[in-house]
Amino acid sequence: MTARQHDTTLQDAIWEGSIPLAIRLSPSECRVYDQADSYLIQYPRLSYLPFLLPRLRAFFASFLIDPDVASHEGWFSYEELPLKWHYPIGLLYDLFSGAQPAHDGSSNRGDRSPSAQQPSTLPWRLTLHFGDWPADQLVQPDAEGKVLHDAFINSVKEADFLRNGTAKGIMSLSKNDSTQLWTAVQEPNDKGYAEQRSSYDAIFQKLLYAQGAPLRHIPMKVYLPSSPSASAPSLGHLRIVQALVTPFVPGGKEAQTIGTALHALLPALFPSRRTPILAKPVLHGAVVPMSAHVEGLMREAAYLDGWLHVGLVMMG
C-alpha cells in the first residue's frame, strides 16, 4: 500500500466512523418513569449531539411530563456527568465511556473504534434531559442554533490562525463554502456522504493553504483525565493542555512527532519521546503511534474543526 492509499484509507475510516447510542429520557421527566423505550441510533463520530435533539424531542413527545419544552433545551449526561455539547461525539466517547482504544495490531483493520476491543461499552447509554440545565458546566444553545454554529466557527478560526498566523482563510470563505462546511458538520456520513466529504475536503484544503502561507503551528489540544478537586468534584474532570506545537522540533529540522510534542507538553507523563510508559495518546478511538508526525495527523486525521483532539489513556 502506498502512502497516499494509506492516507485515503485512514480518512475513509475516520469519516465512516460511528458509535451506536442508546438514549433514554431522564426518569424524572418521563410520565412512565423509566419505562419509555430508548432511542437507538448509529451516530457519526465526527458530529455533535445537539443535532439529534429535534428528532429526540419528537420521539419522546408522548412521554414528556412537560409537553412544552423545546428541543434546544435538551442536554445529555453519561453516568450523571453533563456532556459538553461542543465536543464531537467521538471525542466524548473516547474521554468518558471507559472503552479501551484500538491498537494498530487490531485484527479488524477497517474498524478503528473502541468497539473492536470492548463491545460491552456499546451501545453507549446516554440520558436526555430537558430540565435543570447545568448552567455551571454548560452554555445553553439557542432555538436558532446560532450558539452551536458560532462555537464551531470560532474553533475553526482559532485553528486557522494557529496554522497560518491569520484567520483570513475562514473569514474569506464564500457564503456557499461556509454553508457546505456547516452541512458537512451536521451529518458527516449521511446519505450525501461522498458529496459532503468532497465539499469539506475542498474547503479544508483552502484553509490549509490560505494565501500560500507557510505552516506555523499544529492546532492540537490534549485532554488529560485528572482527579476531582474539592471545588470541582466531578466524575469527568478534565485538564485541557494546549501550547504552540510547531511542525518541526524547535531548534532543528527534525519533524515533530506526537511523541516529541507530548514529551514537551507533559514530560512527567511522557518521559520518553518514542515509547508510551505512563499514558497513551488516543485519536478517533485508536492509539496513535508515538512516531506519527503531527503535521501528517493534522492533514489526514483532524476533526472537522481542524483540531487534533488527543485524549490520554493511563496505562497500568
Side-chain angles (χ1 to χ4, degrees), residues 70-136:
S71 61
H72 72 276
E73 298 178 75
W75 56 281
F76 300 85
S77 68
Y78 174 66
E79 295 185 351
E80 301 184 359
L81 169 71
L83 297 176
K84 295 187 181 298
W85 51 258
H86 60 287
Y87 286 9
I89 179 66
L91 175 62
L92 289 171
Y93 180 82
D94 294 344
L95 293 176
F96 300 123
S97 71
Q100 292 299 309
H103 291 264
D104 190 50
S106 172
S107 59
N108 187 351
R109 304 294 294 184
D111 183 0
R112 313 299 290 178
S113 72
S115 59
Q117 270 67 37
Q118 201 172 39
S120 61
T121 64
L122 298 174
W124 197 26
R125 301 184 183 280
L126 306 181
T127 301
L128 171 67
H129 311 258
F130 287 99
D132 299 322
W133 185 274
D136 59 330

Side-chain angles (χ1 to χ4, degrees), residues 70-311:
S71 61
H72 72 276
E73 298 178 75
W75 56 281
F76 300 85
S77 68
Y78 174 66
E79 295 185 351
E80 301 184 359
L81 169 71
L83 297 176
K84 295 187 181 298
W85 51 258
H86 60 287
Y87 286 9
I89 179 66
L91 175 62
L92 289 171
Y93 180 82
D94 294 344
L95 293 176
F96 300 123
S97 71
Q100 292 299 309
H103 291 264
D104 190 50
S106 172
S107 59
N108 187 351
R109 304 294 294 184
D111 183 0
R112 313 299 290 178
S113 72
S115 59
Q117 270 67 37
Q118 201 172 39
S120 61
T121 64
L122 298 174
W124 197 26
R125 301 184 183 280
L126 306 181
T127 301
L128 171 67
H129 311 258
F130 287 99
D132 299 322
W133 185 274
D136 59 330
Q137 300 183 60
L138 302 178
V139 175
Q140 187 160 5
D142 59 316
E144 293 76 26
K146 292 181 180 179
V147 174
L148 177 57
H149 174 270
D150 290 350
F152 175 78
I153 294 300
N154 286 337
S155 186
V156 174
K157 287 179 182 178
E158 187 180 356
D160 196 24
F161 185 84
L162 285 172
R163 284 191 304 266
N164 305 309
T166 174
K168 289 182 179 179
I170 181 66
M171 298 297 289
S172 61
L173 286 181
S174 67
K175 183 178 180 180
N176 183 56
D177 282 347
S178 298
T179 299
Q180 289 182 337
L181 176 63
W182 187 233
T183 300
V185 171
Q186 294 178 65
E187 294 289 354
N189 61 7
D190 198 13
K191 295 178 181 178
Y193 151 74
E195 181 179 351
Q196 289 184 12
R197 176 176 169 184
S198 178
S199 298
Y200 174 83
D201 286 346
I203 296 168
F204 188 54
Q205 291 303 310
K206 291 180 182 179
L207 298 179
L208 276 179
Y209 302 104
Q211 301 178 340
L215 179 63
R216 295 191 178 189
H217 300 100
I218 308 298
M220 186 171 83
K221 294 180 181 178
V222 180
Y223 297 79
L224 175 64
S226 58
S227 300
S229 64
S231 60
S234 171
L235 169 68
H237 191 66
L238 287 174
R239 175 188 169 200
I240 302 176
V241 180
Q242 182 182 340
L244 295 178
V245 178
T246 54
F248 295 92
V249 176
K253 296 183 179 180
E254 178 188 355
Q256 185 93 261
T257 66
I258 195 74
T260 57
L262 290 173
H263 175 74
L265 287 171
L266 299 164
L269 268 183
F270 293 91
S272 170
R273 298 170 174 83
R274 296 179 177 84
T275 305
I277 297 174
L278 301 175
K280 299 177 183 178
V282 175
L283 184 64
H284 299 296
V287 173
V288 183
M290 296 284 276
S291 60
H293 292 181
V294 290
E295 181 176 351
L297 287 172
M298 178 203 70
R299 296 186 187 280
E300 309 299 339
Y303 277 86
L304 296 183
D305 59 0
W307 285 85
L308 292 175
H309 295 290
V310 181

Side-chain angles (χ1 to χ4, degrees), residues 35 50 57 120 199 315:
Q35 298 303 305
R57 170 64 178 79
S120 61
S199 298
M315 299 171 62

